[in-house]
Structures are given as structure tokens and as C-alpha cells.
Amino acid sequence: MELCYGTRSFPQLIDLPGAWHGNQFSDESEYVYNLSSQEVEEIENALCHFKALGLDGDLICRQNFPLPTVGKSLDRIRLDVHEGKGFGLVRGINPLDYPAEDLTMIYLGVQSYIANLRGRQDEKGNMLVHVVADNTSNLSSQHHRHSASEITFHNEESGDIVSWLTRSTAASGGRCIIASGYAVYNILNRHHPASILQLSQPKWIFANQEGYPRPLFFYHRNRIMLNFGRVPLIGNAIHPRPAHLPRISMKQFKALEDIERAARKVQLEIETKPGDIHFINNLFVLHKRDSFKNGDGVGEKRHLVRMRLRDDELGWNLPESLRKEWADAFGAGLDKLWHVDPMPEGYFPLRSYPN
């Protein structure tokens, strides 16, 4: 039996490996792949092989970054991220052992075994986004990318897969927290079906996507997908909702609150370590972070390097209303910029109404 919301039929229950609850993972070995010293050496050998080719770093791919042993494990993570539980983590690289350029190439080399396409993350074409605390201005200190405050569950605006390399961690806090959108759907469908009705209607107007109202939850090609962030829908102190746009209704606001409450019930908290490389399926896994406090030491300042990815073979077929964001990120012939370290203001424009 399927429940019909609007013009689409939605499943009664999602019974897939991706419909997990965080408390079912009794040991982090169920989602963390710990590299052995021999495997780290294999990655370093692949780095040397690539550098000897004399190619630009953005040309790294699995064909020129050979990982005969590690690659088999990464292939399993690739399949799990796309068709299984929707997330995975590779651990064992020590960022202090490499200059920034080499560390970035290692990240790209490992990542190329999970997805072969890399997406732009802003209008300038930045491919690497540095997520660091920045209190040099009121705008940056309250923007998701540079704030030290807790943020709510969300997806990134584009990318089947969101990945980040942890170059360093905060003195305290800043955990990665994820939640299965499938599990959230099951909770809402059972206890708050009216919210599913709201979320599946093409009546949500995003401040950063004014041209086309769209749903937040999709049922497309027999897959439940979700893509949203609260700020483009309700605004905040530094990004108030534009006056010419209608406010969301009370029913819509309740639906957003229901998502957040359900996600907190099923969330998984991951204690991140320097060198960790995360991969999450951005089409059904929500993510957030808790608040954090940096220390005075160099190794006590939280620094993530984020990428948005898609795979030619395993990438999902997208609903029509998501395709423009994906085309802006992954379209051929677009400008691309690669900054391996944080740059001064202006190099990484802060997107208004970030998810």
C-alpha cells in the first residue's frame, strides 16, 4: 500500500539499510575504515606516482592514483554511500605529515574512488571550501561556514555526495552529527502525515532559488529524496527573508520543526579526528554540527575542507527542480578555482541564505 500525497504516491515505510537509527551502531568500526600503516604507505606511493606525471592536481582520478589494495575497500564504501547506509569515513591519514598541497592531493585521490565528478560550490567556481571559524565581521561570524555555533540539520544545495577532510579539530565540540532522512520519513509518516503532505508539495519558495517553488521531500524513480535548509526558507538575523517573498505558513513551519525533532531522535554523533575523510549521501542523509570552541594552539582550531561530488555510474536520477543547482555545480566548461588554504575575504564569497 502507498500513501498518496498530492499527485505522487509515497511509500508507507522505507525498509532499507539507509533507514538506520544512530543507536544501532554499537561500534564505530561499522562506519569507520581505519587505514593500516601499509595502506597509508600505498596512498603515499600513489601520491608519488601522480606527482611524477607532472599533471595539475585537479586531474587526479583513480586511473592515475593507483590503490590496488585500498581501492577495493574504497569501492565498498562507494557502494555503501550510494546504495547502502549512505555514509562512511576513512581514518588514518595524519595531516601533520604532509604539506597542504600533498594533503589535498591525497584527499582528491581517495575521494576519486567514491565519486568521479567534483562540483563547484559558489559562483566563482571554488571547488574546495574551507570551513573555519571567522569572527572578523558580523556576517562571517554568524554564517554557517564560519560560525562556531550549533546549526540545524540540512542538506547542501547540490551534490549527490558531500565530503570533507578534517585538517584539524577544535579544542572542544564540533562533532559531526548525521541523521537518516529515511528514518525521519518513517517517523513523520507514522506520527505526522500532515507534515509529509506539506513537505512534498511544490510550494516552498527558497530565497536563493526564487524562480521555482519546489518540494523539500521528493519521491522520484522509486526513491525518497530530500533537499533543504532552513535559512533560505525562514531567514535568520544576518539573512532576513526578503520582504517581497511570502512567509512560510504555520503548517510549513511545523513540518520543518517535525524534521528537526525526528532527526534528533535518530541522529548519530561522530567524534571527528584530524585526517578523517567523511562521505555522506546528500540526497537522503541530513547533517549538522554542534557548537565548538577553538583553542590557542595550531592544532586546536577546527578546519574542514569540503567538496561536493557526483558519480557518473552510481549517481541518482534527479527530480527536475533539483537539476539547475546540480548543473551549476557539475556542468562542463565552467570556471573552477582551487585554493588549498583559506584565502582573504572575497576569494570565497559567502552565499546568501546558506542551507
Side-chain angles (χ1 to χ4, degrees):
M1 175 184 177
E2 289 186 334
L3 300 179
C4 293
Y5 291 110
T7 59
R8 297 175 176 83
S9 296
F10 280 63
Q12 179 80 35
L13 176 73
I14 301 177
D15 185 17
L16 294 170
W20 47 264
H21 289 217
N23 59 13
Q24 78 184 53
F25 299 104
S26 58
D27 190 278
E28 67 177 18
S29 63
E30 297 179 62
Y31 54 85
V32 176
Y33 183 74
N34 288 287
L35 297 166
S36 67
S37 58
Q38 292 82 6
E39 289 174 320
V40 172
E41 183 178 358
E42 180 176 284
I43 290 172
E44 292 173 343
N45 290 338
L47 173 64
C48 291
H49 173 86
F50 176 79
K51 291 171 71 173
L53 299 175
L55 300 174
D56 289 340
D58 64 330
L59 297 177
I60 287 179
C61 62
R62 59 192 299 158
Q63 287 74 31
N64 57 32
F65 200 91
L67 297 173
T69 301
V70 180
K72 295 175 183 177
S73 297
L74 294 178
D75 279 339
R76 289 191 289 271
I77 296 173
R78 172 178 178 249
L79 187 60
D80 198 19
V81 169
H82 283 92
E83 299 293 345
K85 61 180 176 289
F87 68 100
L89 190 162
V90 178
R91 176 172 290 164
I93 297 296
N94 183 357
L96 299 179
D97 289 343
Y98 313 96
E101 292 83 357
D102 285 1
L103 181 62
T104 301
M105 286 189 282
I106 286 174
Y107 176 33
L108 295 179
V110 170
Q111 164 258 296
S112 68
Y113 282 77
I114 307 300
N116 68 324
L117 300 176
R118 303 171 181 124
R120 294 158 28 105
Q121 301 190 65
D122 56 43
E123 66 271 18
K124 287 196 172 184
N126 280 295
M127 304 296 288
L128 304 171
V129 164
H130 296 269
V131 183
V132 294
D134 179 2
N135 60 4
T136 57
S137 71
N138 185 53
L139 173 62
S140 62
S141 66
Q142 297 188 57
H143 194 280
H144 283 181
R145 188 191 305 167
H146 298 309
S147 167
S149 302
E150 179 183 8
I151 58 177
T152 55
F153 282 105
H154 63 284
N155 310 98
E156 296 300 317
E157 293 91 343
S158 63
D160 295 38
I161 308 299
V162 175
S163 172
W164 61 91
L165 163 70
T166 301
R167 284 174 52 167
S168 56
T169 56
S172 62
R175 292 168 300 174
C176 163
I177 304 174
I178 60 175
S180 164
Y182 290 170
V184 168
Y185 173 87
N186 286 340
I187 291 173
L188 297 189
N189 203 29
R190 181 176 181 181
H191 300 289
H192 305 284
S195 288
I196 294 288
L197 175 61
Q198 291 295 324
L199 296 165
S200 64
Q201 297 298 308
K203 297 180 180 180
W204 297 81
I205 300 176
F206 287 70
N208 55 4
Q209 302 169 8
E210 293 186 29
Y212 50 100
R214 66 167 177 84
L216 308 191
F217 276 38
F218 303 85
Y219 188 48
H220 178 72
R221 299 287 182 93
N222 296 317
R223 293 185 190 270
I224 289 288
M225 305 179 199
L226 59 160
N227 183 273
F228 79 101
R230 290 170 71 105
V231 176
L233 294 168
I234 63 177
N236 64 11
I238 59 169
H239 296 300
R241 187 161 175 83
H244 68 279
L245 294 181
R247 293 179 177 271
I248 66 172
S249 69
M250 292 302 296
K251 290 181 179 179
Q252 287 178 316
F253 184 77
K254 178 184 180 300
L256 291 178
E257 292 290 283
D258 286 341
I259 291 176
E260 187 71 15
R261 283 190 290 266
R264 289 176 182 269
K265 288 181 180 179
V266 302
Q267 71 183 29
L268 173 66
E269 300 179 5
I270 301 175
E271 199 71 41
T272 301
K273 297 182 179 181
D276 283 357
I277 301 176
H278 291 253
F279 300 99
I280 65 170
N281 190 313
N282 190 47
L283 290 168
F284 81 88
V285 176
L286 297 164
H287 66 281
K288 59 172 282 186
R289 64 147 194 272
D290 63 0
S291 61
F292 65 92
K293 184 176 181 179
N294 283 335
D296 295 328
V298 175
E300 296 181 323
K301 293 178 171 57
R302 188 174 186 267
H303 183 178
L304 310 184
V305 183
R306 187 189 71 204
M307 295 195 71
R308 296 176 181 172
L309 312 173
R310 180 170 170 82
D311 190 74
D312 268 341
E313 180 184 1
L314 297 182
W316 291 12
N317 187 285
L318 297 170
E320 181 65 33
S321 55
L322 293 183
R323 292 177 186 173
K324 182 183 183 301
E325 288 283 340
W326 262 250
D328 289 344
F330 298 97
L334 300 173
D335 291 337
K336 298 179 180 180
L337 297 176
W338 297 83
H339 295 295
V340 298
D341 283 311
M343 300 291 286
E345 184 178 354
Y347 284 89
F348 294 100
L350 295 179
R351 181 171 183 170
S352 297
Y353 310 101
N355 275 12

